[in-house]
Amino acid sequence: MANVPLGLTIAGSETTGGAGLQADLKTFEEFGVHGMVVITCIVTMNTQTWEHEVSMVAMDAINKQFDTVFSGEKISAVKTGMIPSVDLIQLSRDRIIDSGIENIVIDPVMVCKGDISEINIESSSALRDILVPIATVATPNLLEAGVLSGLGVLESIDDIKKAAKIIYESGAKNVVVKGGGSLAGDEAIDIVYDGKDYEVLSSPKVSTQYNSGAGCSFSAAIASCLAKGMPVRTAVAKAKLYVRDAIEHGFSFNEHAGSVLHSASRVIEGNSLA
């Protein structure tokens, strides 16, 4: 019988399949991890303007999902995504702790696609105070790291390092700030901090608009590697390579958006994800 690690994502359903729990499950599969899900909300889009609309799942249904996924073998890693209310953030923390899961990746998703005007301050504070402190790895993007740290807009590597240190001091064991293609320059920069050392991970930027799901997939790839027993630094490095391939081979969904290709690293580039 195969020894397949179990991964759980607590996240929103993104209807086009590019991001959210769909991206997480596709990533788990690529790494040989059996993916399970607690659906927190359903994200749909206005087909004319591509504005996002978030519909919450009832708390009773969410609790029943937790009961179901925790009724079997022990889960090797959990990854969170969009958790759009304070009550649900607290519930997720309680259920994760009660489950005894050791590998916890907190992706503090605050908005669907980076519009700071849409950030719910109460929920972002709850992410900082309730979920981030239990993280094995916290994986904010630049916008989220600026909010969690209280530093606002992050424009340089020094800014990111300061934010990572503040977030680490809130309780996370490791912090990975996903700079990606948002910083100026030709390199996609991510910074890892473990309370002692900073590691700057750099790779050439990929010029594309088809990058929906890149952040979700990066965090899910880290969770997958942790589920398979890899150390954090190895997990982050593998995740960065995986997502770079996925972005490089991204494709158009419609005139508004395009997705990363989750199978690209394995199928097109021939890279081992084991």
Side-chain angles (χ1 to χ4, degrees):
M1 181 181 295
N3 182 20
V4 180
L6 305 180
L8 170 64
T9 175
I10 305 168
S13 173
E14 199 277 271
T15 307
T16 71
L21 70 86
Q22 287 84 349
D24 296 340
L25 293 177
K26 291 172 185 178
T27 300
F28 287 166
E29 189 74 12
E30 288 299 314
F31 281 87
V33 173
H34 175 74
M36 298 182 291
V37 64
V38 170
I39 305 172
T40 62
C41 59
I42 298 171
V43 179
T44 54
M45 291 77 169
N46 180 309
T47 58
Q48 302 302 313
T49 64
W50 213 244
E51 293 176 342
H52 295 71
E53 181 175 330
V54 178
S55 302
M56 286 282 295
V57 173
M59 289 290 283
D60 180 61
I62 292 172
N63 251 320
K64 288 177 179 177
Q65 292 178 79
F66 276 119
D67 291 341
T68 301
V69 297
F70 291 144
S71 67
E73 298 293 329
K74 185 174 180 180
I75 293 169
S76 301
V78 61
K79 179 258 180 193
T80 66
M82 179 171 281
I83 305 180
S85 77
V86 174
D87 288 345
L88 184 49
I89 289 169
Q90 184 65 59
L91 174 65
S92 298
R93 175 194 167 98
D94 293 344
R95 297 302 300 257
I96 290 170
I97 290 175
D98 290 345
S99 73
I101 298 173
E102 296 175 2
N103 298 305
I104 303 169
V105 177
I106 302 298
D107 193 21
V109 177
M110 296 179 183
V111 291
C112 291
K113 203 61 181 174
D115 183 355
I116 195 168
S117 67
E118 296 180 1
I119 288 179
N120 182 304
I121 299 301
E122 187 178 19
S123 291
S124 63
S125 296
L127 286 170
R128 180 195 63 214
D129 298 336
I130 296 172
L131 270 186
V132 170
I134 68 169
T136 307
V137 186
T139 61
N141 61 25
L142 281 188
L143 184 153
E144 293 155 355
V147 173
L148 292 174
S149 65
L151 297 179
V153 178
L154 308 179
E155 297 181 332
S156 68
I157 290 176
D158 284 344
D159 289 345
I160 296 174
K161 287 181 176 180
K162 290 176 185 176
K165 186 174 188 294
I166 293 170
I167 296 166
Y168 171 84
E169 289 171 347
S170 73
K173 294 182 177 68
N174 299 270
V175 179
V176 181
V177 179
K178 302 179 291 192
S182 299
L183 286 178
D186 297 327
E187 295 293 303
I189 302 293
D190 303 297
I191 291 181
V192 188
Y193 182 60
D194 62 2
K196 296 180 180 179
D197 301 310
Y198 294 96
E199 182 176 0
V200 178
L201 301 177
S202 179
S203 62
K205 286 183 180 178
V206 178
S207 179
T208 179
Q209 296 180 336
Y210 308 142
N211 58 7
S212 176
C216 304
S217 304
F218 182 71
S219 301
I222 293 172
S224 298
C225 293
L226 295 179
K228 300 182 79 171
M230 298 179 198
V232 170
R233 293 296 178 98
T234 302
V236 174
K238 278 186 171 286
K240 186 171 179 67
L241 290 173
Y242 167 74
V243 170
R244 188 185 188 284
D245 289 341
I247 294 172
E248 188 168 14
H249 297 283
F251 60 96
S252 173
F253 173 73
N254 61 16
E255 70 272 24
H256 301 292
S259 173
V260 301
L261 182 62
H262 291 91
S263 62
S265 195
R266 173 180 55 87
V267 173
I268 299 176
E269 297 294 338
N271 294 325
S272 172
L273 300 178

